[in-house]
């Protein structure tokens, strides 16, 4: 027969938090693996030493923020409610069953008033990476980089069109130097310097809600206001070594070299190769990566040409004579090097005029075929040869197992589909904390198994 259940909510029991937290819980593995005490020293300069009310332990504050990203709790208010009832979270934060949980405003106001505007989140992320290196979980032999989009907290229909200064390539100085060297070697006059007083303008769509976001229009991607998280992971275990945020309308290649140099200097990494998708496959980037004694392994995107037009691959380049030969055997001679960094090769119009395949070769009214070749095209061709080698194929195959898997895990479990905040600086904080949380989780699972 059924018995009546007596209420036991007020029954006294002798119990400890140690008994209530399962031995295989993730927070136990993290507590065993990761040393968080460095946080106190990293933020000491943000606190007054001899005045004001006693502060909440900063180690606890950062552990609370990391819990939100570890377990995919997007709201700080909801996170505090979870800590209130979750004994594993209390154990991790060193709170007893009767200790009062800090108010959600305490967390948000410390973040807004004390931590925002500083590089403390970057320093915390870096120290976690250093712990992974010390534990030999990061080898630094191959680094994989890609970007993913985070939906900005902005309606794409609430925008204005505005004129802004046209963006300049991050590598314009190196390119200009190479152009001048090329023209000098060919006996050409130096290009006239640009008039700095004349500013080129371009029209962009800007959000009225979050002006820092960028309007993204990419093939196969959603259209709207987004941020881009440019993430680099190590090839050994897929641990994140860098995360950098830009507006959604910035090209992937622009921040790459600066972020690569930062990793090489900050963590003393010595990679032999980097794995990148086709969006990074530019001659400039290939040259700059090779200049750092690193082999670029990049994806390839077939040029979008009409079915009836001859592709550039139909023309053979002769390195010794520095000219192209068309399918009909005629030469395209070097003409000049333009301001964009491309050598121009032109055909003889008199020979092209009566060519039987001219309609497939060029639509030019003056019957002249023009081919261009970047000043650093040799580096790009070498990168393509590496991609087709057995070693290159093996390196590139690992992309989907490292950086793509890292993004997938971030979106599925760590709230990386949407920007939680507005403003570039705050979204950068989100990506740093999410990256640190993913590293912490993976380090714990690898070492405390």
């Amino acid at each position: 027969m059924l018995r009546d259940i007596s209420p036991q909510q007020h029954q006294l029991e002798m119990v400890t938090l140690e008994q209530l937290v399962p031995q295989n819980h993730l927070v136990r593995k993290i507590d065993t693996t990761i040393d968080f005490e460095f946080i106190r020293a990293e933020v000491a300069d943000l606190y007054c030493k001899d005045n004001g009310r006693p502060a909440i332990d900063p180690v606890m504050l950062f552990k609370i923020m990391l819990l939100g990203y570890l377990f995919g709790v997007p709201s700080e208010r909801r996170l505090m409610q979870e800590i209130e009832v979750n004994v594993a979270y209390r154990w991790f934060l060193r709170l007893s069953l009767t200790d009062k949980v800090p108010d959600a405003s305490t967390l948000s106001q410390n973040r807004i008033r004390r931590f925002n505007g500083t590089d403390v989140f970057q320093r915390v992320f870096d120290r976690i990476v250093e712990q992974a290196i010390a534990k030999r979980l990061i080898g630094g032999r191959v680094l994989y980089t890609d970007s993913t989009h985070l939906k900005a907290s902005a309606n794409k229909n609430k925008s204005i069109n505005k004129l802004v200064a046209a963006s300049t390539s991050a590598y314009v100085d190196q390119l200009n130097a190479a152009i001048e060297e090329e023209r000098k070697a060919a006996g050409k006059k130096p290009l006239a310097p640009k008039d700095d007083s004349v500013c080129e303008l371009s029209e962009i769509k800007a959000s009225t809600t979050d002006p820092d976001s960028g309007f993204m229009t990419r093939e196969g991607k959603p259209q709207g206001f987004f941020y881009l998280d440019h993430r680099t992971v190590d090839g050994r275990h897929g641990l994140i070594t860098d995360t950098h945020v830009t507006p959604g309308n910035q090209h992937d290649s622009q921040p790459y070299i600066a972020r690569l140099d930062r990793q090489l200097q900050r963590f003393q990494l010595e990679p032999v190769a980097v794995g990148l998708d086709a969006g990074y496959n530019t001659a400039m980037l290939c040259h700059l990566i090779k200049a750092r004694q690193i082999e670029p392994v990049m994806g390839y995107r077939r040029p979008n040409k009409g079915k009836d037009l001859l592709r550039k691959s139909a023309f053979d380049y002769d390195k010794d004579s520095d000219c192209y030969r068309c399918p009909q055997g005629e030469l395209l001679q070097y003409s000049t090097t333009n301001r964009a960094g491309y050598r121009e090769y032109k055909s003889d119009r008199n020979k092209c005029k009566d060519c039987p395949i001219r309609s497939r070769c060029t639509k030019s009214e003056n019957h002249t075929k023009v081919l261009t070749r970047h000043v650093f095209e040799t580096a790009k061709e070498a990168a393509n040869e590496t991609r087709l080698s057995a070693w290159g194929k093996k390196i590139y195959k690992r992309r989907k197992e490292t950086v793509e898997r890292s993004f997938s895990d971030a979106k599925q479990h760590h709230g990386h589909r949407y920007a939680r905040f507005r403003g570039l600086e705050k979204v950068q904080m989100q990506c740093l904390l999410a990256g640190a949380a993913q590293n912490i989780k993976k380090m714990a699972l690898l070492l405390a198994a």
Side-chain angles (χ1 to χ4, degrees):
M1 63 184 244
L2 295 175
R3 288 186 291 183
D4 294 334
I5 303 299
S6 59
Q8 298 181 358
Q9 283 87 347
H10 301 289
Q11 180 177 332
L12 292 176
E13 296 186 38
M14 297 293 292
V15 67
T16 65
L17 275 176
E18 188 68 24
Q19 296 173 277
L20 297 176
V21 181
Q23 291 298 317
N24 64 343
H25 199 286
L26 178 60
V27 295
R28 281 191 179 273
K29 296 179 180 181
I30 292 173
D31 192 70
T32 302
T33 306
I34 309 297
D35 178 15
F36 292 99
E37 290 304 309
F38 70 87
I39 294 175
R40 194 170 286 106
E42 291 289 349
V43 301
D45 61 319
L46 302 176
Y47 289 82
C48 183
K49 296 181 180 179
D50 55 6
N51 195 13
R53 292 178 296 175
I56 294 178
D57 183 11
V59 175
M60 179 193 291
L61 284 177
F62 272 86
K63 288 171 81 172
I64 288 173
M65 286 188 277
L66 288 169
L67 278 174
Y69 289 92
L70 278 166
F71 296 98
V73 184
S75 165
E76 291 176 344
R77 189 171 299 278
R78 181 183 156 198
L79 176 60
M80 291 307 186
Q81 293 171 351
E82 292 287 332
I83 295 171
E84 188 81 38
V85 299
N86 192 310
V87 292
Y89 293 175
R90 284 180 171 269
W91 179 90
F92 182 65
L93 299 173
R94 305 297 189 262
L95 292 173
S96 71
L97 286 172
T98 57
D99 282 340
K100 187 179 184 304
V101 175
D103 191 81
S105 63
T106 302
L107 179 62
S108 61
Q109 290 304 314
N110 268 278
R111 176 175 52 76
I112 294 169
R113 299 183 182 185
R114 196 187 305 274
F115 302 138
N116 281 0
T118 71
D119 65 342
V120 64
F121 296 104
Q122 181 69 64
R123 285 187 278 130
V124 169
F125 175 86
D126 289 347
R127 291 294 295 271
I128 297 295
V129 173
E130 286 179 343
Q131 289 191 33
I133 294 173
K135 298 176 188 297
R136 303 182 69 82
L137 297 178
I138 291 178
R141 178 176 171 80
V142 182
L143 300 176
Y144 295 91
T145 300
D146 202 356
S147 71
T148 192
H149 53 275
L150 286 78
K151 176 71 174 67
S153 179
N155 189 330
K156 67 178 180 180
N157 296 318
K158 295 183 178 180
S159 63
I160 57 173
N161 293 329
K162 68 176 185 179
L163 292 173
V164 298
S167 60
T168 304
S169 171
Y171 318 117
V172 65
D173 293 335
Q174 298 97 317
L175 181 60
N176 287 339
I179 292 171
E180 291 306 312
E181 185 178 342
E182 284 278 335
R183 292 182 65 86
K184 183 178 180 180
K188 302 288 183 180
K189 294 180 180 180
L191 292 171
K194 283 189 174 182
D195 187 356
D196 294 334
S197 63
V198 179
C199 182
E200 295 183 13
L201 299 177
S202 62
E203 187 177 65
I204 66 167
K205 182 179 286 189
S207 170
T208 56
T209 308
D210 186 358
D212 286 354
S213 62
F215 193 80
M216 187 176 74
T217 53
R218 292 188 177 189
E219 185 179 354
K221 303 291 184 182
Q223 187 181 77
F225 290 105
F226 288 87
Y227 288 96
L228 291 176
D229 176 16
H230 305 265
R231 176 177 290 189
T232 300
V233 303
D234 177 64
R236 179 173 291 180
H237 293 294
L239 286 162
I240 305 161
T241 57
D242 187 63
T243 175
H244 178 68
V245 176
T246 65
N249 55 4
Q250 184 167 347
H251 195 273
D252 289 347
S253 64
Q254 292 303 299
Y256 179 74
I257 291 297
R259 301 310 299 180
L260 176 62
D261 286 343
R262 185 189 184 279
Q263 295 170 76
L264 301 183
Q265 296 167 9
R266 180 66 178 80
F267 305 120
Q268 300 299 305
L269 300 179
E270 298 179 353
V272 297
V274 293
L276 306 165
D277 71 5
Y280 296 83
N281 196 349
T282 66
M284 190 77 214
L285 220 54
C286 291
H287 167 74
L288 292 175
I289 293 171
K290 279 185 166 292
R292 286 156 176 78
Q293 305 301 312
I294 302 172
E295 195 65 37
V297 182
M298 300 182 173
Y300 175 76
R301 184 178 292 124
R302 181 173 294 177
N304 186 18
K305 293 284 187 180
K307 292 183 179 179
D308 297 329
L309 291 178
L310 291 176
R311 295 183 183 275
K312 187 178 178 179
S313 57
F315 296 78
D316 296 325
Y317 178 70
D318 187 337
K319 183 179 178 181
D320 295 331
S321 58
D322 190 25
C323 64
Y324 280 92
R325 187 177 297 276
C326 78
Q328 296 295 105
E330 300 297 338
L331 297 180
L332 284 78
Q333 302 287 355
Y334 170 80
S335 173
T336 187
T337 302
N338 61 33
R339 195 180 292 275
Y342 287 89
R343 302 188 190 107
E344 296 180 1
Y345 298 82
K346 296 182 179 181
S347 64
D348 186 339
R349 58 181 297 183
N350 295 321
K351 294 181 179 179
C352 290
K353 184 177 181 180
D354 300 320
C355 179
I357 62 171
R358 178 171 59 81
S359 60
R360 293 178 54 207
C361 183
T362 179
K363 302 295 183 182
S364 172
E365 293 183 358
N366 62 3
H367 313 310
T368 302
K369 175 68 175 179
V370 179
L371 290 179
T372 59
R373 180 180 177 84
H374 198 276
V375 293
F376 296 130
E377 191 71 22
T378 303
K380 187 176 181 180
E381 291 172 346
N384 286 333
E385 291 179 6
T386 301
R387 173 181 59 85
L388 296 173
S389 68
W391 179 77
K393 290 179 180 178
K394 182 179 178 181
I395 294 293
Y396 192 75
K397 187 178 179 180
R398 284 276 293 158
R399 274 192 69 256
K400 63 179 181 290
E401 303 168 8
T402 51
V403 67
E404 290 185 9
R405 180 175 292 176
S406 179
F407 280 139
S408 176
D409 181 60
K411 290 178 180 290
Q412 189 70 20
H413 302 293
H414 304 285
H416 218 56
R417 297 184 188 276
Y418 303 95
R420 300 186 182 186
F421 310 98
R422 290 171 180 165
L424 189 66
E425 182 182 334
K426 293 178 182 177
V427 178
Q428 177 71 64
M429 175 206 69
Q430 173 185 339
C431 291
L432 286 168
L433 287 174
Q438 282 184 261
N439 280 349
I440 288 168
K441 176 178 155 185
K442 182 160 285 190
M443 291 168 65
L445 294 175
L446 287 170
L447 296 176

